């Protein structure tokens, strides 16, 4: 749960809460109001959590689908649980899940039907600031123009 309005004399630290995994770990910016209250809002994200579904079918090509991009571990973990609950372990070996040291959950199933293996995991990716890439032009490509019907 994100903090909303806080009295300027009240400070909260990470050890004061037992569920810091669910909170955004983004830096906060403080906005001073005239009535001496401070509201904390999340700054631009420094990283995001990407939920990936890796598919390893018995027949056919392996693939990866992005299930979602999230600002907090809590939301990414809930996505993993939601997607995992949509699959059933049809084989002899049950699905397994665990928690990484930083709080990200993962799930895998060696047989989600017809021998198809599935894995859900969360990757933490850094977000680059605006202007991180130099402006580029196309070198060897022709623009496709859609024709109207």
């Amino acid at each position: 749960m994100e903090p909303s309005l806080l009295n300027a004399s009240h400070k909260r630290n990470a050890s004061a809460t037992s569920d810091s995994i669910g909170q955004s770990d983004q830096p906060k910016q403080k906005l001073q109001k005239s009535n001496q209250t401070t509201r904390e809002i999340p700054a631009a994200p420094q990283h995001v959590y990407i939920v990936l579904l890796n598919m390893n079918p018995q027949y056919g090509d392996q693939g990866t689908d992005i299930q979602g991009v999230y600002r907090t571990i809590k939301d990414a973990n809930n996505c993993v649980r939601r997607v995992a609950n949509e699959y059933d372990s049809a084989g002899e070996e049950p699905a397994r899940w665990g928690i990484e040291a930083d709080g990200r959950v993962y799930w895998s199933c060696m047989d989600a039907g017809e021998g198809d293996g599935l894995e859900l995991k969360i990757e933490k990716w850094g977000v680059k600031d605006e202007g991180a890439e130099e402006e580029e032009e196309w070198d060897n490509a022709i623009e496709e123009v859609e024709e109207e019907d």
Side-chain angles (χ1 to χ4, degrees):
M1 181 171 90
E2 294 290 331
S4 55
L5 291 177
L6 297 176
N7 185 310
S9 65
H10 176 74
K11 292 186 179 179
R12 183 176 183 178
N13 62 32
S15 64
T17 179
S18 62
D19 186 24
S20 62
I21 290 175
Q23 295 184 3
S24 173
D25 49 2
Q26 305 301 323
K28 305 280 191 270
Q29 296 175 339
K30 292 184 179 182
L31 298 176
Q32 192 67 32
K33 294 192 149 221
S34 61
N35 63 359
Q36 296 301 319
T37 60
T38 303
R39 190 178 109 203
E40 293 185 6
I41 58 171
Q46 301 298 310
H47 56 264
V48 292
Y49 298 96
I50 300 173
V51 178
L52 301 172
L53 174 61
N54 294 320
M55 298 163 287
N56 187 15
Q58 185 173 0
Y59 306 103
D61 296 332
Q62 295 179 352
T64 300
D65 283 341
I66 295 175
Q67 300 297 304
V69 179
Y70 299 93
R71 194 171 192 160
T72 65
I73 292 174
K74 180 179 179 180
D75 287 334
N77 285 345
N78 284 330
C79 176
V80 169
R81 291 182 192 104
R82 177 183 53 78
V83 175
N85 287 336
E86 294 173 4
Y87 292 96
D88 225 357
S89 179
E92 294 178 17
E93 192 171 330
R96 301 184 185 282
W97 67 274
I99 302 174
E100 301 285 351
D102 65 357
R104 294 175 292 155
V105 298
Y106 59 89
W107 174 89
S108 65
C109 182
M110 298 305 290
D111 186 359
E114 300 183 20
D116 296 342
L118 298 173
E119 175 192 35
L120 282 161
K121 66 179 185 175
I122 301 169
E123 290 186 357
K124 181 178 177 180
W125 287 20
V127 176
K128 297 182 184 205
D129 289 330
E130 183 177 347
E133 293 286 335
E134 291 183 25
E135 197 162 325
E136 294 284 335
E137 297 291 329
W138 294 103
D139 285 338
N140 298 315
I142 299 172
E143 181 179 3
E144 290 186 26
V145 179
E146 290 186 33
E147 296 179 20
E148 293 184 30
D149 292 332

